[in-house]
Amino acid sequence: MGAYILRRFLLVIPTLLGIMILNFALIQFVPGGPIEQIIAQMEGRGDVFENISGGRGDTEIVAETNDTGSTYAGARGLPPEFIAQLEKEFGFDKPPLERFLNMMWDYMRLDFGESWFRSMSVVDLVLEKMPVSITLGLWSTLIAYLISIPLGIRKAVRDGSRFDTWTSGAIIVGYAIPGFLFAILLIVLFAGGSYWRIFPLRGLTSSNWEDLSAIGKVLDYFWHIFLPVLALTISSFATLTLLTKNCFLDEIKKQYVMTAKAKGLTESRVLYGHIFRNAMLLVISGFPALFVGVFFGGSLIIETLFSLDGLGRLGFEATLQRDYPVMFGTLFAFSLIGLVIGIITDLTYVLIDPRIDFESRG
């Protein structure tokens, strides 16, 4: 097992390098870089993407070499010395290969630099947005598992019954409703949209949170996160429930279950003493990957609807602004964590079922 883990860790290096090379190469061909955005803002044209999409301001914007010698769209009124200074400040005076190597050397030393448009280090910026992502990712994942596993087991035991039919219908409806649409429905009904104002609509805590007692702070926290977590969870538990049910159904039909029942063991003893460990292999081992996916992926629409400033909005805004330190810094860190989580997932398989031996597959 040790040799297998070592090989997996060694594969992390070329995989991570390939991810970074591919994304760095693609971004070189995407219009609307940071310098173009600064030029657009200085000339009062707002967002450079309006020009890329075909819009025109008071002055016609063209992407051709002009009398200043600059090839940046809309740079006609700016001196070439200023453009050159911008290129030097952002590092675009160097060839792409040199910029990529310098970036990867900094990342290997865990130096992710500073945001170009926020005057904060990338690490501090991510840490600032992390409480929202921790809240949404942790609670939605835990609630999904707490609902899905008992429900899936119950559906497997009562397969084909009225309970199984009705719950399957409810699960399909919940899965079919997009999370953002359900979030809007919750806002309209319970957050002062048109009916009741039971829950708040923004933030993780109230403005007087520091003045509340310990119990008051806990209640205030759950009061704020109830709607966004519910909106994020409603469709995620459907797949997990059906996966749990199918895993249990497969195990229930196996010979060792028939033998255990023939020996006179109770249904609960057979279910939780024999079936559970084998049936939950796929479900439990996928927990690390599921949690990291929800945690680091963020939910841009849910965060926007409920005015939560998390990693989802951070990534979206960094992409629009072409804030490369934030884009590539978070891509490097989250890709590395994702690859390590994949190794942890394999170890979880072995811990749950010692019969699995990845080493023998080599």
Side-chain angles (χ1 to χ4, degrees), residues 65-72 75-81 83:
T65 304
N66 49 52
D67 53 357
T68 65
S70 172
T71 58
Y72 290 107
R76 294 189 172 211
L78 299 175
E81 295 81 6
I83 302 298

Coordinates of all heavy atoms in Angstrom, one line a residue, residues 65-72 75-81 83:
T65 N -2.9 48.4 -34.4 CA -1.8 49.3 -34.0 C -2.2 50.7 -34.4 O -2.5 51.0 -35.5 CB -0.5 48.8 -34.7 OG1 -0.3 47.4 -34.4 CG2 0.6 49.6 -34.2
N66 N -2.0 51.6 -33.5 CA -2.4 53.0 -33.7 C -1.1 53.9 -33.6 O 0.0 53.4 -33.5 CB -3.4 53.5 -32.7 CG -3.0 53.1 -31.3 OD1 -2.0 53.4 -30.8 ND2 -3.9 52.4 -30.6
D67 N -1.3 55.2 -33.6 CA -0.2 56.1 -33.7 C 0.6 56.1 -32.5 O 1.7 56.7 -32.4 CB -0.7 57.6 -34.0 CG -1.8 58.0 -33.1 OD1 -2.2 57.2 -32.2 OD2 -2.2 59.1 -33.2
T68 N 0.2 55.6 -31.4 CA 1.0 55.5 -30.1 C 1.9 54.3 -30.1 O 2.7 54.1 -29.2 CB 0.1 55.5 -28.9 OG1 -0.7 54.3 -28.9 CG2 -0.9 56.7 -28.9
G69 N 1.6 53.4 -31.1 CA 2.4 52.1 -31.1 C 1.9 51.0 -30.3 O 2.4 50.0 -30.2
S70 N 0.7 51.3 -29.6 CA 0.1 50.2 -28.8 C -0.9 49.4 -29.5 O -1.6 49.9 -30.4 CB -0.6 50.9 -27.6 OG -1.3 50.0 -26.8
T71 N -1.0 48.1 -29.2 CA -1.9 47.3 -29.8 C -3.2 47.0 -29.0 O -4.0 46.2 -29.3 CB -1.3 45.9 -30.1 OG1 -0.8 45.3 -28.9 CG2 -0.2 46.1 -31.1
Y72 N -3.3 47.8 -27.8 CA -4.4 47.6 -27.0 C -5.6 48.4 -27.5 O -5.5 49.5 -27.9 CB -4.1 48.1 -25.5 CG -3.1 47.1 -24.8 CD1 -1.8 47.5 -24.6 CD2 -3.5 45.9 -24.4 CE1 -0.9 46.7 -24.0 CE2 -2.6 45.0 -23.8 CZ -1.3 45.5 -23.6 OH -0.4 44.6 -22.9
A75 N -6.5 52.4 -26.7 CA -5.4 53.1 -26.0 C -4.9 54.3 -26.8 O -3.8 54.8 -26.6 CB -4.2 52.1 -25.9
R76 N -5.7 54.9 -27.7 CA -5.3 55.9 -28.5 C -4.9 57.2 -27.8 O -4.0 57.9 -28.2 CB -6.4 56.3 -29.5 CG -6.7 55.1 -30.5 CD -7.6 55.6 -31.6 NE -7.7 54.5 -32.6 CZ -8.0 54.8 -33.9 NH1 -8.1 56.0 -34.3 NH2 -8.1 53.8 -34.7
G77 N -5.6 57.5 -26.7 CA -5.4 58.7 -25.9 C -4.3 58.6 -24.9 O -4.1 59.6 -24.1
L78 N -3.6 57.5 -24.7 CA -2.6 57.2 -23.7 C -1.2 57.2 -24.3 O -1.0 56.6 -25.3 CB -3.0 56.0 -22.9 CG -4.3 55.9 -22.2 CD1 -4.6 54.5 -21.6 CD2 -4.4 57.0 -21.1
P79 N -0.3 57.8 -23.6 CA 1.1 57.7 -24.1 C 1.7 56.3 -24.1 O 1.3 55.5 -23.2 CB 1.9 58.7 -23.2 CG 1.1 58.7 -21.9 CD -0.4 58.5 -22.4
P80 N 2.6 56.0 -25.0 CA 3.2 54.6 -25.0 C 4.0 54.3 -23.8 O 4.1 53.2 -23.3 CB 4.0 54.6 -26.3 CG 4.3 56.1 -26.6 CD 3.0 56.8 -26.1
E81 N 4.6 55.4 -23.1 CA 5.3 55.2 -21.9 C 4.5 54.7 -20.8 O 4.9 53.8 -20.0 CB 6.0 56.5 -21.5 CG 7.0 57.0 -22.4 CD 6.4 57.8 -23.6 OE1 5.2 58.0 -23.5 OE2 7.1 58.2 -24.5
I83 N 1.7 52.9 -21.2 CA 1.3 51.5 -21.5 C 2.5 50.6 -21.2 O 2.3 49.5 -20.6 CB 0.9 51.4 -23.0 CG1 -0.2 52.3 -23.3 CG2 0.6 49.9 -23.3 CD1 -1.5 52.0 -22.6

